[in-house]
Amino acid sequence: MIQPTTLRMSAPGEFIAAVPALLGFYPVDSLVVALLERRPPADEVCIKVVARHDLHVSDSRLTAVVAQLADVAANENASAVLVLIVDSTAQPTSAPPGRHTHTLDILDRALTTRGVVLASAWATRVIDAGAPWWSLLDATESGVVPDPDATTLAAAFVVAGHPIRRSREELTRLIEPDPALADQVRALLHADTGIHTQSAASEITATVATVVEHIDTLAAGSTLTPAEMAALAVALRTAAVRHCLLGLAGTARVDAAERLWALLTRSLPDPERAHAAALLAFSAYHRGDGALASIALDAALDSDPQHRFARSLDTTLRDATAPPSLHAVVTYAHDIADALGVDLHR
């Protein structure tokens, strides 16, 4: 999921080159679908949603995925969709490969029944400078991919401090558990550390302020000890604390906050890591990074399948609710912070 983005393209290759920036990583063996909308007053065509799914799945799974994508397109009032198939085994031919034709037929039927047009579809083996691409709807249309790193969109993402990962697995490694460190933190949690879940307003205020201090410390380049991680794990057990910390999304502290949530997701034992992973997922999704949000939600639900907030956010993401609609949650979090006397901004 991305926020509405205007792309000025003169060739399909420019769209293909922009896909890594739109997703946040370079997709491999993937079905990528971009939902288009027209925005007044200039009637510009914008990409409202970009979705990706593994390409090589069973027919039954493919049908379910396509139906979900078509539902999202209809719910988002998309005027049309663009499709890109990244298939490392594909070869340009005069006619589209049968497997891809089958995929497009299923998608086209699902979209048509919902009043959405399949505008164009292309394929490539890899998104890289000079890689060939070809149309799956017009055998006469083909070309080569421009340098993805040289796109305006890629430059904007990097300048904003959001690097484009070479693969989805690289994103996954950002929150990959560290069993040895988690064992240290677990031992501290089981010991009598003198740290208890807070309930009174004054205690919650102090706890949130302490978490924010750790975020600022991390931003300054310092590290956290296992004891500090254990204390943060206990702090995140309190729902009011977590609700308040959601307000860090969209503030100047957001990058440092996400680094802390990622660190805790790697370092805390189950089920404590679920709280940190859910906070990371919300923050990533709020700024339009659906890939990281999805990976963080997988981690949260793997750690605690019954985590209510993670389950709710997972449904929101799968329904492709636009990130701006999460602004109400952030506003509510700021109201909590103001009531507690905590300044989330700086």
Side-chain angles (χ1 to χ4, degrees):
M1 172 73 73
I2 61 166
Q3 296 193 29
T5 302
T6 301
L7 291 179
R8 289 177 171 80
M9 301 181 299
S10 59
E14 295 180 22
F15 164 71
I16 296 171
V19 164
L22 292 170
L23 290 176
F25 64 94
Y26 281 71
V28 176
D29 292 332
S30 299
L31 170 64
V32 180
V33 177
L35 276 57
L36 307 181
E37 70 168 359
R38 293 189 176 275
R39 301 180 68 193
D43 201 31
E44 291 181 313
V45 176
C46 299
I47 294 177
K48 188 174 186 181
V49 174
V50 176
R52 186 215 70 93
H53 199 277
D54 292 342
L55 180 62
H56 302 303
V57 295
S58 66
D59 277 353
S60 59
R61 179 58 182 156
L62 176 63
T63 300
V65 168
V66 165
Q68 184 180 24
L69 290 172
D71 284 341
V72 170
N75 292 339
E76 291 292 325
N77 296 316
S79 58
V81 305
L82 303 177
V83 173
L84 174 65
I85 290 180
V86 184
D87 184 349
S88 58
T89 66
Q91 294 291 337
T93 60
S94 58
R99 173 65 175 174
H100 298 162
T101 302
H102 178 58
T103 299
L104 291 180
D105 285 346
I106 295 175
L107 180 57
D108 190 28
R109 287 196 300 270
L111 290 170
T112 299
T113 61
R114 294 163 175 81
V116 182
V117 176
L118 174 58
S120 294
W122 305 284
T124 185
R125 289 191 296 271
V126 61
I127 301 178
D128 204 355
W133 61 263
W134 59 97
S135 172
L136 294 173
L137 302 179
D138 181 354
T140 67
E141 186 183 35
S142 63
V144 295
V145 180
D147 185 358
D149 293 333
T151 66
T152 302
L153 194 61
F157 273 58
V158 173
V159 168
H162 304 303
I164 301 169
R165 309 293 174 177
R166 295 305 305 182
S167 68
R168 194 173 190 273
E169 288 68 29
E170 189 176 333
L171 272 175
T172 302
R173 286 194 291 273
L174 291 176
I175 57 173
E176 189 172 19
D178 183 335
L181 184 53
D183 285 343
Q184 293 183 54
V185 175
R186 183 183 293 107
L188 291 167
L189 288 170
H190 289 169
D192 182 11
T193 61
I195 307 170
H196 304 286
T197 302
Q198 309 299 308
S199 57
S202 59
E203 294 174 328
I204 293 172
T205 299
T207 301
V208 172
T210 298
V211 175
V212 171
E213 287 176 8
H214 281 302
I215 289 171
D216 292 342
T217 296
L218 203 63
S222 299
T223 58
L224 299 182
T225 66
E228 290 171 326
M229 294 176 188
L232 287 168
V234 174
L236 295 184
R237 288 174 179 170
T238 302
V241 171
R242 299 195 303 273
H243 292 165
C244 186
L245 293 171
L246 291 173
L248 290 166
T251 70
R253 286 188 169 101
V254 62
D255 289 339
E258 287 190 16
R259 288 201 295 274
L260 178 59
W261 308 147
L263 172 62
L264 294 179
T265 302
R266 294 193 301 270
S267 308
L268 300 185
D270 296 327
E272 279 79 9
R273 72 188 296 257
H275 295 318
L279 285 168
L280 175 60
F282 178 85
S283 183
Y285 194 38
H286 180 267
R287 63 176 172 78
D289 191 342
L292 179 56
S294 177
I295 289 169
L297 282 174
D298 286 345
L301 294 173
D302 181 64
S303 175
D304 180 4
Q306 302 307 315
H307 196 283
R308 293 178 60 184
F309 181 72
R311 287 166 63 93
S312 175
L313 187 58
D314 186 58
T315 299
T316 298
L317 188 149
R318 294 184 187 281
D319 289 344
T321 301
S325 69
L326 304 183
H327 182 67
V329 178
V330 175
T331 299
Y332 176 62
H334 287 166
D335 290 343
I336 295 175
D338 290 343
L340 292 172
V342 177
D343 182 12
L344 297 178
H345 301 270
R346 62 174 181 179

